């Protein structure tokens, strides 16, 4: 304490003090309002006949003072907790973190339209022309041979995945292989490479049509019948590639007996077959059987390096592009998949080309296939090398040096931060790697400019989003295979779940896997009902496959913190494998698929009611981004209806969506006009929502305009919205213009209107009771961000020393105003107890050391602090130790004053 120089009784109410008794520019001391001082003043002496009347008046004044204190305390409640009960706090810190996480995923400001979206099927950048038509499905692949030139290209250019030898041996042993993977990962290319190899040395090695594509409509059973009966005149030793349409509603996947029958027929004919399927609930039983295997994706860096070198060698005639020189490219074995530059053709869904139709074989001459990782086969190396030696005689002397320099520049360009950000994908699939390599090569060779390069890189994520959604439900309009009956729609839930999961991941990326999956099922239901309103969608309960969801959506899991009831626990989070995908998915969804807006809006409204901040706040950020893409629709269907909702949670959702839209310069003016109108003329619900939007600091032209609007909301209707207005005044104190906020608070304390005074006093008390991470948008690593669990008042005192005097003056005013005194004293006690943690480690001591001396500059203030410390020491539930009480006293009272008081106390 004060070395025994302490007062033995509670402090008396503070008397008004001169302005020069404090910091250079303090608010007027004597912050206790005149009416409160009058109520606290002693009764004037009167005659004995009037004593009973005086006592009654004093009692009435005391009751009025208590009522005023109760009203003030009610205004300091959490305005977000109206539906939870007074005693249950809201998790504002979790909401702030969720909003910040959602903004990181969607606020990259990417130009998603880097090419003509009216014809996404073809992408033309510089002299690069590549087909990317996702509207084709496996049903367009009809029965027919794979051309010989396609097989030659496969031999020379296919890049083997890890485990390729194992896949080949399994095919040789069983004659049948079910190869699974996500679309676009090189499954079909690997299947063709396997069939080309096993049939070349088999019975059909001399047959020019030894590899065929099987009709997907006939499925496994039809292929087995065809092979068994020798129908179609196919010779022995033929290799079949089948991509069955397992995702069509009403289609049953083949079972184990069907596969056994096909394998037996293949063995009788000396033939082979690879069945390519997408991972998912329909195909997983096939992949788990003895014929099943997973085709792993390609490692991005290696794949791009190989494709880039091939592109540059095409231009420079390097001998390594012919013969064995290419086998050791980039220091080792190259990854799987192939997706050659396609002039006049289409990129294959799995990274190759479409059945070899309309191929330009000349461009493939000289490319080499990678060496087998097991080292058990060779590939015409001698002839290729001879051709390479002949060609090298006609090369220019500086070609080697020029190619070497280009490769060095290419490696630097690949690591360019601007290029990496434009790509926005953690890993590239074969067709994407081909395009990326072509863009890099074109830029290095001068045919593609810098802006074209970046635009093309940005287009990669947009093309992936287009492929995910184009024609998803077209199968619903198709009749079941072969019988001509009416369309079967009972499988809508299974059909829509993959796209629903991608949308849910775009909205809730970074949330727990369970939250994303549950939201995806809700959206699946909404999409199914919208597609077929006369039927109740079937909703399987035991058909989920989390691993398939990840593979089909280019997602990745990660361990991280999940906020649960105010505490952080470790959970399994989920993200897209690429920062560009969330925004690309939302842009594709909103800009090109108008019928889907209605179910998505209904779904977002459901998420707005979710009690978990990780869900509702992320959904609000996504709603704001969707509103930016069509503000008229977003405002009418999402923002305005939720802003008028009766529950605070929905109104916070609308305010967050508005602020997200205000983050875009193109929509800032419109948002500010909406918020201004609501603050002046809106219903109570709209004014409440406007106050929450103003608290983010972007919904008015200046900080003074923001504070004017909040004051207008707070003082209207006898302070009905004062609680939410004061909360958002406190939120503004985390912004750089906090000095302006403190100045306006000081002005309000001296205002003639009691409502303005209460707005200032409630804001000051709330400032002491609010933790930094409840209101701060900054990431950890900033001065305030590193003090997330500090009371904001102490964090500002520690990090902004120039504001300490103003903070102390304002808090002193709350302590010396009758109606706010009790709540302010409770807040001061909370601040004092936060000096150190329960285990003794220092906590907010730095902030208290800055604030307390400014708060207790006068003797009366020190006596009051001494009384409060003694009361805390006598607290039976949470007694403050004498050691800690003395430490706090020493923080507040300078040593010189302590010595003087001790001498005076001991005479």
């Amino acid at each position: 304490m004060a070395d025994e120089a302490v007062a033995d009784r509670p402090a008396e109410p503070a008397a008004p003090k001169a302005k020069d008794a404090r910091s250079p520019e303090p608010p007027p001391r004597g912050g206790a309002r005149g009416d409160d001082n009058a109520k606290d003043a002693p009764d004037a002496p009167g005659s004995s006949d009037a004593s009973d009347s005086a006592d009654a008046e004093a009692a009435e004044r005391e009751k009025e003072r208590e009522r005023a204190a109760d009203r003030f305390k009610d205004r300091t409640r959490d305005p977000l907790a109206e539906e939870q009960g007074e005693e249950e706090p809201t998790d504002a810190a979790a909401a702030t973190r969720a909003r910040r996480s959602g903004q990181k995923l969607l606020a990259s400001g990417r130009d998603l339209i880097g090419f003509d979206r009216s014809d996404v099927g073809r992408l033309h950048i510089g002299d690069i022309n590549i087909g990317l038509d996702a509207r084709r499905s496996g049903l367009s692949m009809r029965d027919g041979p794979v051309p010989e030139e396609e097989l030659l290209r496969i031999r020379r250019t296919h890049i083997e995945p890890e485990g390729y030898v194992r896949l080949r041996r399994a095919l040789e042993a069983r004659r049948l292989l079910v190869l699974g993977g996500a679309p676009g990962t090189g499954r079909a290319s690997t299947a063709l490479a396997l069939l080309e190899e096993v049939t070349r040395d088999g019975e059909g090695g001399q047959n020019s049509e030894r590899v065929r594509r099987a009709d997907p409509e006939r499925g496994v059973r039809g292929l087995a019948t065809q092979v068994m009966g020798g129908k179609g005149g196919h010779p022995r030793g033929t290799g079949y590639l089948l991509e069955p349409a397992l995702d069509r509603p009403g289609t049953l996947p083949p079972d184990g007996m069907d596969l056994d029958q096909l394998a037996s027929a293949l063995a009788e004919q000396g033939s082979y077959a690879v069945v390519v399927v997408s991972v998912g609930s329909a195909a997983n039983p096939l992949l788990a059987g003895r014929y099943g295997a997973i085709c792993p994706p390609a490692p991005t860096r290696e794949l791009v390096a190989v494709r880039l070198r091939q592109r540059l060698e095409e231009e420079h005639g390097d001998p390594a592009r012919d013969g064995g020189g290419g086998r050791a490219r980039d220091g080792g074995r190259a990854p799987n998949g192939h997706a050659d530059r396609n002039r006049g053709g289409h990129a294959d869904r799995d990274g190759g080309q479409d059945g070899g139709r309309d191929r330009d074989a000349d461009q493939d001459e000289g490319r080499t296939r990678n060496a087998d990782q097991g080292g058990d086969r060779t590939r015409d190396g001698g002839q290729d090398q001879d051709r390479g030696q002949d060609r090298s005689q006609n090369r220019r002397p500086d070609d080697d040096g020029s190619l070497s320099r280009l490769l060095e520049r290419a490696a630097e360009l690949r690591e360019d931060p601007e290029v990496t950000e434009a790509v926005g994908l953690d890993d590239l699939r074969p067709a994407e790697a081909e395009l990326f390599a072509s863009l890099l090569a074109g830029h290095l060779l001068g045919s593609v400019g810098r802006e074209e390069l970046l635009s093309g890189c940005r287009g990669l994520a947009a093309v992936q989003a287009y492929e995910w959604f184009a024609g998803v439900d077209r199968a619903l309009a198709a009749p079941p295979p072969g019988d001509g009956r009416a369309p079967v729609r009972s499988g809508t839930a299974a059909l829509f779940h993959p796209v629903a999961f991608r949308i849910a991941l775009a909205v809730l990326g970074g949330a727990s896997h369970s939250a994303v999956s549950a939201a995806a099922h809700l959206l699946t239901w909404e999409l199914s009902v919208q597609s077929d309103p006369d039927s109740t969608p079937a909703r399987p309960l035991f058909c989920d496959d989390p691993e398939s969801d990840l593979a089909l959506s280019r997602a990745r899991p990660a361990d991280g913190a999940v906020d649960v009831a105010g505490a952080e626990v470790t959970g399994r989070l989920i993200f897209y494998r690429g920062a560009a995908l969330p925004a690309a998915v939302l842009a594709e969804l909103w800009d090109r698929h108008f019928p889907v807006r209605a179910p998505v809006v209904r779904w977002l409204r459901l998420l707005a009611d979710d009690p978990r901040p990780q869900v509702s706040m992320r959904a609000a950020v996504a709603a704001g981004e969707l509103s930016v893409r069509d503000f008229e629709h977003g405002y009418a269907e999402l923002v305005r209806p939720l802003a008028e909702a009766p529950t605070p949670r929905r109104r916070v959702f609308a305010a967050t969506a508005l602020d997200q839209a205000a983050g875009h310069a193109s929509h800032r003016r419109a948002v500010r006009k909406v918020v201004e109108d609501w603050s002046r003329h809106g219903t109570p619900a709209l004014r409440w929502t406007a106050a929450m939007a103003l608290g983010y600091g972007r919904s008015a032209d200046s900080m003074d305009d923001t504070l004017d609007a909040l004051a207008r909301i707070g003082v209207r209707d006898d302070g009905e919205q004062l609680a939410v207005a004061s909360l958002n005044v406190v939120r503004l104190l985390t912004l750089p213009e906090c000095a302006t906020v403190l100045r306006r608070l000081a002005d309000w304390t001296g205002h003639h209107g009691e409502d303005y005074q209460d707005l200032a006093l409630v804001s000051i008390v709330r400032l002491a009771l609010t933790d930094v991470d409840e209101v701060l948008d900054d990431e950890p690593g900033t001065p305030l961000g590193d003090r997330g669990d500090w009371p904001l008042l102490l964090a500002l005192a520690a990090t902004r020393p120039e504001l300490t005097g103003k903070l102390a003056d304002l808090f002193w005013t709350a302590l010396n105003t009758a109606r706010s005194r009790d709540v302010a004293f409770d807040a001061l006690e909370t601040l004092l107890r936060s000096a150190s943690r329960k285990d003794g480690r220092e906590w907010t001591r730095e902030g208290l050391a800055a604030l307390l001396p400014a708060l207790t500059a006068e003797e009366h203030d020190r006596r009051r602090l001494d009384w409060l410390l003694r009361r805390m020491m006598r607290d039976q539930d949470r007694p403050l130790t004498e050691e800690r009480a003395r430490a706090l006293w020493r923080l507040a009272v300078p040593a010189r004053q302590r010595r003087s008081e001790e001498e005076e106390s001991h005479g």
Side-chain angles (χ1 to χ4, degrees):
M1 298 283 276
D3 299 328
E4 304 306 328
V6 294
D8 294 328
R9 57 186 176 83
E12 298 294 334
K17 299 186 180 181
K19 188 172 183 178
D20 58 0
R22 290 293 291 168
S23 55
E25 295 181 1
R29 277 288 174 124
R33 306 273 64 85
D35 58 336
D36 293 322
N37 289 332
K39 295 168 187 174
D40 292 336
D43 294 331
S47 64
S48 58
D49 294 338
S51 60
D52 291 341
S53 177
D55 291 342
E57 291 178 5
E60 183 61 31
R61 285 197 300 269
E62 181 62 26
K63 290 180 181 179
E64 177 59 29
R65 184 162 49 243
E66 292 175 358
R67 285 193 293 266
D70 289 342
R71 286 195 300 269
F72 185 89
K73 183 176 181 179
D74 185 62
R75 287 174 169 179
T76 63
R77 74 189 189 283
D78 186 353
L80 307 180
E82 292 178 3
E83 61 183 356
Q84 300 184 32
E86 184 178 351
E87 301 301 326
E88 184 176 353
T90 55
D91 197 352
T96 300
R97 286 190 289 269
R99 173 177 173 269
R100 185 167 62 231
S101 177
Q103 286 181 321
K104 287 174 62 178
L105 293 178
L106 295 174
S108 59
R110 297 173 53 85
D111 174 16
L112 296 174
I113 306 177
F115 50 89
D116 182 9
R117 297 296 296 276
S118 64
D119 185 14
V120 181
R122 304 205 58 79
L123 175 59
H124 182 80
I125 301 175
D127 65 348
I128 302 166
N129 189 16
I130 296 180
L132 294 160
D133 191 351
R135 289 171 291 185
R136 297 176 299 108
S137 68
L139 297 180
S140 65
M141 304 286 188
R142 298 300 178 183
D143 189 17
V146 177
E148 183 65 28
E149 60 268 23
E150 173 70 2
L151 297 181
L152 175 63
R153 185 184 63 80
I154 288 289
R155 287 180 59 188
R156 296 188 180 281
T157 66
H158 178 258
I159 304 173
E160 299 162 1
E162 182 179 355
Y164 180 88
V165 174
R166 174 180 54 80
L167 296 176
R168 190 194 73 234
R169 290 173 179 167
L171 179 59
E172 290 173 339
R174 299 188 178 93
R175 300 281 176 169
L176 175 63
L177 180 67
V178 179
L179 192 62
T185 56
R187 306 166 306 166
S189 300
T190 298
L192 286 174
L194 289 167
L195 291 171
E196 190 278 333
E197 181 173 352
V198 297
T199 58
R200 179 162 42 86
D201 298 327
E203 298 182 42
Q206 303 304 316
N207 177 20
S208 61
E209 298 184 354
R210 55 192 168 87
V211 179
R212 303 184 63 88
R213 289 185 182 272
D215 188 348
E217 289 190 8
R218 305 179 68 175
V220 170
R221 298 181 184 89
L223 179 59
T225 302
Q226 182 182 28
V227 174
M228 187 180 302
K231 297 179 180 179
H234 304 161
R236 293 176 58 85
T238 299
Y240 298 92
L241 172 63
L242 173 64
E243 298 183 63
L246 300 182
D247 58 348
R248 296 189 66 193
T251 300
L252 295 176
D255 56 27
M257 294 184 62
D258 295 326
L259 295 177
D260 289 339
Q261 184 182 21
L262 176 58
S264 176
L266 292 168
E268 290 180 6
Q269 296 293 322
S271 299
Y272 302 88
V274 178
V275 179
V276 174
V277 297
S278 293
V279 292
S281 59
N284 284 350
L286 304 179
L287 297 174
R290 60 179 172 274
Y291 301 105
I294 296 295
C295 184
T300 296
R301 294 181 61 84
E302 199 172 347
L303 182 59
V304 172
V306 170
R307 294 307 187 208
L308 181 58
R309 179 159 192 142
Q310 289 175 350
R311 287 286 175 262
L312 294 176
E313 286 172 354
E314 287 176 359
E315 302 296 333
H316 284 265
D318 190 80
R321 61 181 257 195
D322 303 301
R327 299 184 184 183
R329 290 174 186 172
D330 295 281
R333 179 182 51 79
N336 73 318
H338 68 276
D340 280 359
R341 183 172 173 180
N342 176 13
R343 297 181 178 93
H346 292 291
D348 183 58
R349 290 175 299 150
D350 291 305
Q353 291 181 327
D354 182 9
R357 299 179 179 85
D358 302 324
R359 300 299 191 277
D360 187 352
D362 293 339
Q363 70 174 346
D364 298 319
E365 274 300 316
R367 297 190 188 173
T368 61
R369 182 175 184 168
N370 224 42
D372 181 81
Q373 65 176 3
D376 60 352
R377 54 199 165 88
T378 60
R379 288 286 175 269
D380 300 328
Q383 296 178 7
D384 292 339
Q385 194 157 5
D386 290 341
R387 288 195 298 270
Q389 291 172 354
D390 293 339
R391 185 172 297 175
S392 67
Q393 296 175 2
N394 298 322
R395 292 168 55 238
R396 295 188 301 273
D398 63 341
D399 277 350
D400 283 333
S402 177
L403 178 60
S404 177
R405 287 192 297 273
L406 282 175
L407 290 173
E408 291 177 0
R409 291 175 55 198
E412 295 175 358
L413 187 59
R414 284 174 52 192
E415 303 301 325
D416 187 321
E418 193 174 11
V419 172
T420 301
E421 191 277 336
V423 172
L425 299 172
D426 293 350
D427 44 52
L428 299 179
R429 291 179 172 178
E432 295 164 349
E434 182 72 14
L435 174 57
F436 185 47
S438 297
L439 289 168
L440 294 177
H443 181 66
L444 293 171
L445 297 172
S447 60
V448 175
R450 177 77 175 183
E451 290 304 317
E452 286 182 299
L453 169 65
L454 297 178
S455 179
C457 290
R458 294 187 185 105
L460 294 175
V463 169
Q464 174 64 96
Y466 175 83
E467 291 176 349
W468 275 342
F469 292 101
V472 167
D473 55 353
R474 186 172 291 114
L476 293 176
D483 60 9
R485 291 183 289 120
V488 175
R489 305 181 68 84
S490 60
T492 53
L495 183 67
F496 285 129
H497 179 71
V499 294
F501 190 88
R502 292 163 188 152
I503 297 170
L505 184 56
V507 171
L508 303 179
S512 64
H513 194 168
S514 61
V516 174
S517 182
H521 279 292
L522 286 177
L523 181 55
T524 299
W525 178 275
E526 295 292 343
L527 294 174
S528 301
V529 170
Q530 183 76 12
S531 176
D532 187 10
D534 296 329
S535 302
T536 300
R539 188 174 183 179
L541 301 180
F542 297 99
C543 292
D544 271 10
D545 181 6
E547 297 306 318
S548 296
D549 287 340
L550 296 178
L552 293 173
S553 300
R554 298 184 75 161
R556 62 177 177 87
D559 291 336
V562 178
D563 290 294
V564 179
E568 289 189 352
V569 297
T570 301
R572 188 172 190 252
L573 311 183
I574 183 172
F575 301 85
Y576 268 117
R577 299 184 64 87
L581 287 172
V585 166
L586 295 183
E588 172 68 23
L589 179 75
W590 219 241
D591 294 347
R592 295 183 62 86
H593 304 282
F594 294 102
V596 84
R597 288 187 176 188
V600 169
V601 164
R602 293 196 300 268
W603 174 67
L604 288 172
R605 290 181 180 179
L606 290 175
L607 298 187
D609 293 325
D610 197 294
R612 295 167 295 181
Q614 65 164 326
V615 173
S616 59
M617 293 303 290
R618 284 182 169 89
V621 171
E625 288 297 312
L626 293 176
S627 298
V628 168
R629 308 202 71 84
D630 187 347
F631 192 73
E632 177 189 17
H633 186 272
Y635 176 81
E637 298 295 329
L638 278 171
V639 175
R640 178 63 185 252
L642 294 179
E644 293 182 302
T647 60
R649 188 174 290 122
R650 284 196 161 201
R651 297 198 294 264
V652 169
F653 184 100
T656 303
L658 271 180
D659 175 73
Q660 187 67 19
H664 295 259
S666 58
H667 289 71
R668 193 167 298 143
R669 182 177 179 182
V671 170
R672 290 175 176 177
K673 180 65 167 59
V674 167
V675 173
E676 173 74 10
D677 288 345
W678 287 359
S679 70
R680 291 183 180 275
H681 314 297
T683 63
L686 291 178
R687 295 200 304 273
W688 196 100
T689 305
M692 290 301 300
L694 288 164
Y696 290 114
R698 297 191 292 195
S699 295
D701 293 334
S702 66
M703 182 59 70
D704 280 319
D705 290 339
T706 300
L707 292 166
D708 286 340
L710 286 172
R712 193 162 51 242
I713 294 169
V715 303
R716 183 171 171 178
D717 298 335
D718 295 327
E720 178 185 356
Q721 307 283 0
L722 193 144
V724 70
S726 66
L727 170 64
N728 288 283
V729 170
V730 172
R731 292 172 64 198
L732 295 173
L733 284 165
T734 63
L735 302 179
E737 303 95 327
C738 62
T740 301
V741 182
L742 295 178
R743 174 179 56 81
R744 293 296 297 275
L745 285 173
D747 293 342
W748 291 341
T749 61
H751 199 282
H752 293 299
E754 186 172 308
D755 287 334
Y756 280 93
Q757 299 168 11
D758 282 352
L759 176 59
L761 294 170
V762 172
S763 300
I764 294 164
V765 172
R766 198 180 296 281
L767 172 62
L769 297 174
T770 301
D771 287 346
V772 171
D773 57 9
E774 296 181 58
V775 292
L776 183 68
D777 284 335
D778 291 351
E779 292 281 359
T782 62
L784 282 180
D786 289 338
R787 295 169 172 82
D789 60 349
W790 283 38
L792 181 57
L793 175 61
L794 297 182
L796 288 173
T799 60
R800 300 287 300 272
E802 73 278 10
L803 302 178
T804 301
K806 295 179 180 179
L807 292 167
D809 289 339
L810 290 170
F811 196 53
W812 184 94
T813 301
L815 288 169
N816 286 275
T817 301
R819 59 183 180 274
S820 62
R821 181 185 303 142
D822 293 343
V823 179
F825 262 97
D826 291 341
L828 179 58
E829 180 176 342
T830 301
L831 297 179
L832 294 173
R833 291 186 183 277
S834 71
S836 57
R837 302 184 188 276
K838 292 182 179 179
D839 59 6
R841 290 182 297 120
E842 187 174 298
W843 187 1
T844 66
R845 180 184 176 87
E846 180 187 2
L848 287 168
L851 180 68
L852 288 179
L855 190 64
T856 58
E858 303 297 330
E859 178 183 356
H860 178 77
D861 302 325
R862 292 192 291 273
R863 290 170 54 213
R864 180 170 51 195
L865 174 63
D866 174 77
W867 168 81
L868 179 58
L869 291 172
R870 288 183 180 277
R871 189 184 75 173
M872 294 167 63
M873 293 172 63
R874 293 191 298 267
D875 190 322
Q876 294 184 0
D877 296 327
R878 301 173 59 199
L880 185 69
T881 65
E882 184 177 350
E883 179 183 0
R884 291 190 177 184
R886 288 182 180 276
L888 289 169
W889 180 259
R890 293 189 179 103
L891 285 179
V893 182
R896 179 184 58 80
Q897 294 179 353
R898 291 201 305 269
R899 287 194 300 270
S900 173
E901 291 173 355
E902 183 178 10
E903 292 172 359
E904 186 176 307
S905 174
H906 293 286

